[in-house]
Amino acid sequence: MTACGLLAAVAGAGLPAAAAYAQQPAATATTAAAPVAPGTIRIHFRRVQNDAAQWGVYSWDGPANPSSAWITDRFMFTQSDSFGGWVDIPLAAGKTALWFLVTDGSGTKNCGADQGAPLPNDVASRGHEIWLLEGDCTVYTAPPALSYGSLLNASAHWLAANTLAWPGVPATGSYKLYYAANGGLGSGAAGVSGADGSMNLSLAPLPEAVRTKFPHLANATGLALSNADAAKLGALASAQFAIAQFDAAGKLVQVTSLQNAGMLDDVFGQRAANAKLGVSFNGAGVPSFRVWAPTAKSVALDIYPDANAPSSGSVPMRFDAATGVWSYTAPNANWTNRAYYTYTVQVLSRWANNSIVTNTVTDPYSVSLNANSARSFVADLDSDALKPRGWDQHRIPRLEHAGDIALYELHIRDFSAGDDSVPAARRGKYLAFTERQSNGMRHLKSLAKAGLTHVHLLPAFDIASVNELGCTTPAIPDAGPASSAQQAAVDAVRDSDCFNWGYDPVHYNAPEGSYASSANDGAARIREFRAMVQGLHDTGLRVAMDVVYNHTSSSQQGPLSVLDKIVPAYYYRLNGNGANLNDSCCADTAAEHTMMGKLMVDSVALWAKAYQVDSFRFDIMSFAPLELMTRLKTAVNRAAGREIYLYGEGWNFGAVGNDQRFVQARQANLYGSGIGSFNDRLRDAVRGGGCCDGGENLISQQGFINGVWYDPNDRARQSRDDALRLADMVRVGLSGTLRDYRFVDRFGSLRSNADIDYFGQRAGYTASPLEAINYVEKHDNQTLFDINAFRLPQSTSLADRVRVQNLGAAIVLLSQGVPFIHAGQELLRSKSLDRDSYNAGDWFNRLDYSYAANNFGVGLPMAGVNRDNWGLMTPILENPLIKPDSGAILSARSAFEDLLAIRMDSSLFRLRTAKDVMERLKFHNTGPDQEPGLIVMRIDGDEPTRYPGAQYRSVVVLFNVDKEAKTLAIPALKGLKLKLHKLQRKSDDAVVKSSSYVEASGSFTIPARTTAVFVE
């Protein structure tokens, strides 16, 4: 997963503000219990359902005997009075506060943050007493007024027109649904107030289809609305709704608002799913505007003659009650490719205290905008005015099969921001890709000639994090390799400079303006994005686009919020109380909702068809349903008229983890989908440790290529078994991470990849090599060069560091599956040890296609996630043995291109199916008696039949990661007519040329830290 503006919370950093402890109105019915004992705190807790006895206080600081274990050791609310449950907790002497969490037996917290209760000076002699309410983080020092629930929360769910679910309430008493056309609902002892009407709800088990669709609500209490009342919803959709629970005597127990996405999908979404949204044009170029806003009271179209002028008028839009779509068709084509527009939406929003707000907002389907996303542009993407010269005639590079893909991950600004061979006005811009003789384009052309097929562009849609009207370039001081001065200069302007990775979407369908020559010209960014694509295509490279549909940069009534200002609380995934989930880093979108899923499909189809984008990488793809991704794949292929390869992050985490809400597009579920996912198994085995190591683990957890056991650094404590375990994991990767591929593991057992353990998960999970994206470096985390700087012994020579880098590339490029290379990996790229450079400016993200330097030792990295490790980093950054010169960089580049060309030379490195791999690929030197540090892989080109494009009867690849040369006889491989691959025989690397094979004995000699490819 990736950054969209990191969120941080430091638990227990300070006591709540004094205002939180102001005296509250007393409850009307509170019976006195025994007085609080001296040196004791009594905690009262009220829950609406009177089930406080199932809850307890977990307290680690303050009690005489603090809780010793999470959840299992709590101070339980075993006593009760008319307010609710209570418990007395003896206090340790001298304490000034009690720190605690109130939880149930499953770890559900009443308040998400740690809570602190200050203790009065006389607590030792008089004791102390506090009161807590369900779902309220306030700590009260007097009994608060009893609440019947907050309508700012939404803990009930409206799942279909006539089906509701309310977790945690009993299947007794009675329930009603209330509505008020213009808001104003409230509650009190007398019941619900401010309603225009109500509808009775009957207790009814949730239908099986509903339980299947919403598995996280399967055990909730089901409620049904009559068909007659359900039929009224279309006309009432713009109203405020609340659901109320009454006890057997008819007294109000609680009220809550509703999460209504399911109802909106049922009533409107099904019929709107095929609607054309955004702006479309007839044959005469006349625009029609359509926006889905089923809960809006009115929508008007505002027109602006240009990017800056005041509105020239506003026209009401027409509402279609069947679909929830508002529309307007212009009288002529005068606005097309000239005017800008917004919508003025009047809507009742829970994010605005359940009041009616008037939001002026851009179009979620905007295809272009003015600067900083203030207005949408009326753009006809089919018009010649928005196309660079030759756009309609340019050719997309041929791709015979998706198995031939090799990906190169590149940030648009990184590519040229520091390239003096690009005209100054085009540096960091789309148009840098049209400069065919620039250093960067010449480099890409060379890679394409060797076998690179796709440039994967980091987010290029409209983002929030760069000021398009003027960003700042910091002055970086000339300081030492481990100085903190450089990062301080970057940090001072980190939110106003010109750099960000861009994982903070505002509009999914519009190109980012900061990469255009003029961000305020809605036409320029369209033409120039296309020119970039055309430039890459003309260089022989296809284009992959990084898309981020799992969140937006802003939500609710935020300044850059779009979706929530049109259909409040619909497009986002909510927690049990109706608040936004932020598992991705920002407000998580809900791709499981019909119209958010439609937005995803429509968006990807637009980029593929209108911009000729050839492939898409999905950020946190696992937050989308597998069914949606499968449907999207079909729709996008149809729109593009060709096969579009999809891949993404299949990590399993968050509120949707383990398929809690739907069957996710996560690694284990993608089996057989043909959709690729990033292979963390291979990454971790090669690099060592895990993605986010810190402290000692940054150094001690050596990986397969950088020293595990065979070349330990001064902090490593790994064993021979660790070396064999990582070698087995590399074999899993080399065999495509196929679930059913089998080899002899380090214990001597014939096991499938799925039976190899990866931190409690099955290592093998794919049904096809196409489903594995193999990598050892990408924009996230340290570069490979930097992680090797941590883990190789500090005395390792520069020449050996280059060889270790080449080993990482060799494993990725010669594995079955799709290789993924981070831009500059082939040039020993460094970010000066930065773990997370999303907002680290041009300085730490510098990419140098002049090959002069690799950016190592340009200062301590950004404090953020790195500060705690600065002490470890300082001697590494100051180590003169590590920083490479131009010769080392060119050596790495040459070796990389040789490996890339070897991959493309023979289809045996690009086997099409799992069956092909299982029939043809075999490992030697396996089991408990293997020679550590050496993997031997043979791929058969003749058996069971001659493989198309194999070129050779077989290939044998030996990866010797040890610091010593190795000689190994493999009887099964004797008698073969093997010779070193022609590209390695001609290589600039004199070391690899000394690799040898003896036919009579099947003996191979491989130099230290070398990958040798023999062909038959």
Side-chain angles (χ1 to χ4, degrees):
M1 65 183 289
T2 49
C4 66
L6 296 181
L7 305 177
V10 181
L15 292 172
Y21 293 87
Q23 294 291 317
Q24 304 293 324
T28 56
T30 306
T31 57
V36 181
T40 298
I41 186 171
R42 177 170 294 167
I43 302 180
H44 299 265
F45 182 40
R46 175 177 175 79
R47 284 185 54 81
V48 172
Q49 301 300 334
N50 294 317
D51 59 354
Q54 300 173 28
W55 291 67
V57 178
Y58 173 79
S59 180
W60 58 93
D61 188 4
N65 294 296
S67 300
S68 60
W70 172 243
I71 302 177
T72 58
D73 186 14
R74 291 173 293 152
F75 301 94
M76 303 299 294
F77 293 105
T78 55
Q79 305 297 314
S80 64
D81 56 20
S82 58
F83 180 84
W86 59 270
V87 61
D88 284 345
I89 303 176
L91 297 166
K95 291 293 182 179
T96 59
L98 179 88
W99 288 99
F100 66 96
L101 285 166
V102 174
T103 77
D104 67 6
S106 62
T108 302
K109 301 173 185 177
N110 185 60
C111 178
D114 296 351
Q115 293 183 273
L119 300 174
N121 293 334
D122 59 357
V123 67
S125 60
R126 299 187 57 185
H128 188 50
E129 204 163 3
I130 61 173
W131 286 259
L132 307 172
L133 292 172
E134 178 181 351
D136 185 347
C137 290
T138 305
V139 177
Y140 298 97
T141 55
L146 301 185
S147 170
Y148 293 93
S150 171
L151 292 179
L152 297 180
N153 295 333
S155 55
H157 302 257
W158 205 339
L159 304 179
N162 60 358
T163 304
L164 297 88
W166 196 348
V169 300
T172 57
S174 61
Y175 297 85
K176 279 191 174 183
L177 182 68
Y178 290 85
Y179 57 89
N182 297 313
L185 291 175
S187 64
V192 176
S193 59
D196 294 333
S198 65
M199 302 175 183
N200 291 323
L201 296 169
S202 59
L203 289 158
L206 293 175
E208 186 59 33
V210 171
R211 290 160 57 89
T212 299
K213 185 176 181 180
F214 302 97
H216 64 299
L217 299 173
N219 296 321
T221 297
L223 299 163
L225 197 62
S226 71
N227 290 335
D229 284 338
K232 303 173 185 176
L233 295 179
L236 292 172
S238 67
Q240 179 188 6
F241 287 91
I243 187 173
Q245 174 196 356
F246 299 89
D247 64 18
K251 292 184 178 180
L252 180 64
V253 177
Q254 66 173 327
V255 295
T256 186
S257 294
L258 298 105
Q259 300 183 31
N260 66 350
M263 180 273 286
L264 293 177
D265 282 345
D266 190 24
V267 176
F268 300 102
Q270 293 183 52
R271 288 183 286 274
N274 295 319
K276 176 72 174 177
L277 298 178
V279 184
S280 58
F281 300 84
N282 66 14
V286 176
S288 292
F289 303 80
R290 298 180 185 87
V291 61
W292 189 69
T295 63
K297 294 186 175 296
S298 67
V299 181
L301 173 68
D302 314 310
I303 293 294
Y304 310 84
D306 59 40
N308 301 312
S311 172
S312 59
S314 180
V315 293
M317 301 180 75
R318 182 178 60 84
F319 181 63
D320 177 21
T323 62
V325 172
W326 298 77
S327 62
Y328 177 79
T329 298
N332 52 50
N334 290 345
W335 296 340
T336 300
N337 296 335
R338 296 185 186 90
Y340 293 77
Y341 69 102
T342 57
Y343 298 124
T344 294
V345 181
Q346 190 181 63
V347 65
L348 194 149
S349 175
R350 185 160 58 88
W351 306 133
N353 295 314
N354 285 311
S355 66
I356 295 173
V357 289
T358 301
N359 291 322
T360 297
V361 62
T362 47
D363 191 340
Y365 276 71
S366 298
V367 296
S368 191
L369 305 122
N370 70 343
N372 291 332
S373 314
R375 300 172 181 179
S376 304
F377 181 55
V378 186
D380 181 0
L381 296 178
D382 290 333
S383 65
D384 290 341
L386 300 185
K387 298 174 183 177
R389 185 165 52 187
W391 173 254
D392 287 333
Q393 293 76 39
H394 94 275
R395 299 182 64 180
I396 298 171
R398 182 172 175 270
L399 183 72
E400 183 177 323
H401 189 274
D404 298 335
I405 291 173
L407 296 158
Y408 187 79
E409 184 193 41
L410 180 63
H411 186 276
I412 290 171
R413 183 169 176 84
D414 287 354
F415 175 65
S416 61
D419 190 347
D420 292 341
S421 69
V422 174
R426 294 187 170 188
R427 292 175 198 163
K429 306 292 186 179
Y430 297 125
L431 291 178
F433 291 88
T434 68
E435 296 291 328
R436 296 188 179 186
Q437 296 306 311
S438 72
N439 291 338
M441 288 304 290
R442 288 163 65 91
H443 182 81
L444 291 182
K445 187 172 184 178
S446 181
L447 292 179
K449 183 179 179 181
L452 189 72
T453 64
H454 287 60
V455 168
H456 161 137
L457 298 171
L458 264 70
F461 47 73
D462 180 48
I463 64 174
S465 47
V466 176
N467 183 351
E468 296 174 352
L469 287 173
C471 50
T472 303
T473 300
I476 308 297
D478 183 8
S483 170
S484 62
Q486 299 96 322
Q487 68 84 36
V490 174
D491 187 64
V493 297
R494 65 180 180 183
D495 294 326
S496 60
D497 70 351
C498 305
F499 180 87
N500 196 281
W501 279 348
Y503 291 91
D504 52 351
V506 182
H507 296 90
Y508 292 122
N509 297 354
E512 163 60 11
S514 68
Y515 301 139
S517 60
S518 173
N520 215 31
D521 178 353
R525 65 178 75 187
I526 296 172
R527 283 193 301 267
E528 292 169 15
F529 189 104
R530 284 171 159 170
M532 171 183 66
V533 172
Q534 186 174 349
L536 287 167
H537 283 171
D538 289 347
T539 305
L541 292 163
R542 288 190 165 211
V543 177
M545 189 172 176
D546 203 325
V547 288
V548 187
Y549 298 108
N550 63 80
H551 64 255
T552 58
S553 63
S554 186
S555 62
Q556 300 184 12
Q557 287 292 112
L560 286 176
S561 176
V562 177
L563 300 170
D564 250 349
K565 288 182 176 178
I566 297 174
V567 193
Y570 171 82
Y571 282 98
Y572 295 90
R573 190 171 298 123
L574 308 177
N575 67 16
N577 289 323
N580 288 123
L581 282 164
N582 296 283
D583 290 334
S584 63
C585 80
C586 311
D588 299 340
T589 54
E592 63 271 28
H593 299 165
T594 299
M595 299 305 284
M596 183 61 214
K598 171 181 170 59
L599 177 53
M600 278 182 63
V601 173
D602 290 349
S603 178
V604 179
L606 174 82
W607 289 108
K609 181 178 181 180
Y611 291 92
Q612 299 292 296
V613 174
D614 306 288
S615 184
F616 294 88
R617 177 266 191 193
F618 290 80
D619 188 64
I620 318 184
M621 181 173 63
S622 53
F623 278 22
L626 177 61
E627 177 276 331
L628 173 63
M629 290 302 302
T630 303
R631 181 159 43 90
L632 183 151
K633 182 180 178 182
T634 300
V636 172
N637 288 345
R638 183 169 59 247
R642 63 191 194 282
E643 186 76 20
I644 300 294
Y645 181 64
L646 307 180
Y647 60 106
E649 293 179 311
W651 318 134
N652 183 24
F653 72 101
V656 300
N658 295 314
D659 304 329
Q660 292 178 78
R661 297 200 178 198
F662 46 79
V663 177
Q664 303 164 255
R666 60 182 174 93
Q667 283 176 332
N669 293 341
L670 290 167
Y671 181 90
S673 68
I675 298 172
S677 67
F678 285 91
N679 186 353
D680 47 350
R681 281 78 162 147
L682 185 65
R683 175 200 71 197
D684 290 350
V686 172
R687 291 164 60 98
C691 72
C692 310
D693 289 338
E696 287 283 319
N697 286 346
L698 272 173
I699 297 174
S700 65
Q701 295 302 303
Q702 292 177 282
F704 181 66
I705 65 170
N706 54 36
V708 58
W709 181 71
Y710 59 84
D711 191 14
N713 60 52
D714 59 4
R715 297 175 190 248
R717 299 292 183 269
Q718 292 164 299
S719 66
R720 181 179 186 274
D721 185 65
D722 287 322
L724 301 193
R725 174 177 57 82
L726 293 181
D728 275 355
M729 196 64 69
V730 172
R731 292 181 180 103
V732 170
L734 289 166
S735 58
T737 317
L738 294 169
R739 185 187 70 183
D740 299 327
Y741 180 84
R742 293 157 66 87
F743 70 95
V744 176
D745 72 358
R746 73 187 195 273
F747 302 114
S749 301
L750 182 63
R751 302 173 71 191
S752 70
N753 285 344
D755 291 329
I756 304 295
D757 177 72
Y758 173 72
F759 299 115
Q761 304 174 63
R762 292 186 164 198
Y765 64 89
T766 71
S768 159
L770 291 179
E771 294 171 6
I773 302 293
N774 298 318
Y775 74 109
V776 291
E777 174 180 329
K778 62 186 181 81
H779 69 273
D780 283 322
N781 309 123
Q782 300 90 347
T783 68
L784 181 62
F785 184 88
D786 285 348
I787 209 68
N788 288 340
F790 279 115
R791 289 177 173 151
L792 283 167
Q794 289 300 294
S795 60
T796 305
S797 68
L798 177 58
D800 270 8
R801 290 179 184 277
V802 174
R803 302 198 71 77
V804 171
Q805 185 87 4
N806 296 341
L807 283 166
I811 291 171
V812 167
L813 292 172
L814 302 181
S815 289
Q816 300 299 323
V818 176
F820 180 97
I821 303 299
H822 181 224
Q825 178 182 329
E826 75 282 15
L827 305 177
L828 309 177
R829 185 179 185 177
S830 170
K831 296 181 181 181
S832 209
L833 306 183
D834 199 343
R835 200 196 90 185
D836 185 11
S837 67
Y838 84 100
N839 203 17
D842 295 330
W843 182 256
F844 290 103
N845 288 283
R846 181 176 173 81
L847 186 56
D848 184 1
Y849 287 121
S850 75
Y851 316 130
N854 79 331
N855 215 43
F856 182 81
V858 297
L860 286 165
M862 302 294 287
V865 298
N866 298 295
R867 183 194 295 273
D868 289 346
N869 298 307
W870 277 1
L872 296 173
M873 294 174 174
T874 297
I876 296 172
L877 291 170
E878 292 176 339
N879 184 346
L881 296 177
I882 298 178
K883 190 175 181 69
D885 56 18
S886 180
I889 293 169
L890 289 169
S891 173
R893 175 198 172 197
S894 176
F896 179 88
E897 290 190 347
D898 283 349
L899 291 164
L900 192 56
I902 287 170
R903 177 180 186 266
M904 290 306 294
D905 179 53
S906 173
S907 62
L908 297 179
F909 295 113
R910 297 170 280 116
L911 297 173
R912 302 316 198 203
T913 68
K915 183 173 182 287
D916 292 339
V917 177
M918 289 188 279
E919 287 179 341
R920 296 175 184 275
L921 190 151
K922 183 176 181 180
F923 294 110
H924 301 273
N925 187 41
T926 60
D929 299 325
Q930 67 185 271
E931 177 66 30
L934 180 64
I935 289 179
V936 183
M937 173 178 72
R938 180 175 186 262
I939 311 173
D940 200 315
D942 271 356
E943 298 295 336
T945 58
R946 184 70 176 170
Y947 200 73
Q951 305 285 4
Y952 311 105
R953 296 187 63 190
S954 71
V955 296
V956 178
V957 185
L958 297 96
F959 304 91
N960 178 16
V961 299
D962 204 335
K963 61 183 178 181
E964 306 290 344
K966 290 187 181 293
T967 297
L968 182 71
I970 303 175
L973 299 183
K974 68 180 180 181
L976 302 179
K977 303 296 183 182
L978 292 172
K979 58 183 178 181
L980 196 64
H981 194 285
K982 60 186 177 183
L983 289 173
Q984 292 193 317
R985 295 199 306 271
K986 299 175 183 177
S987 173
D988 294 336
D989 178 10
V991 175
V992 73
K993 294 178 181 178
S994 66
S995 303
S996 64
Y997 164 73
V998 179
E999 179 182 345
S1001 62
S1003 178
F1004 296 86
T1005 298
I1006 309 298
R1009 291 178 164 143
T1010 296
T1011 300
V1013 180
F1014 291 87
V1015 297
E1016 181 185 10

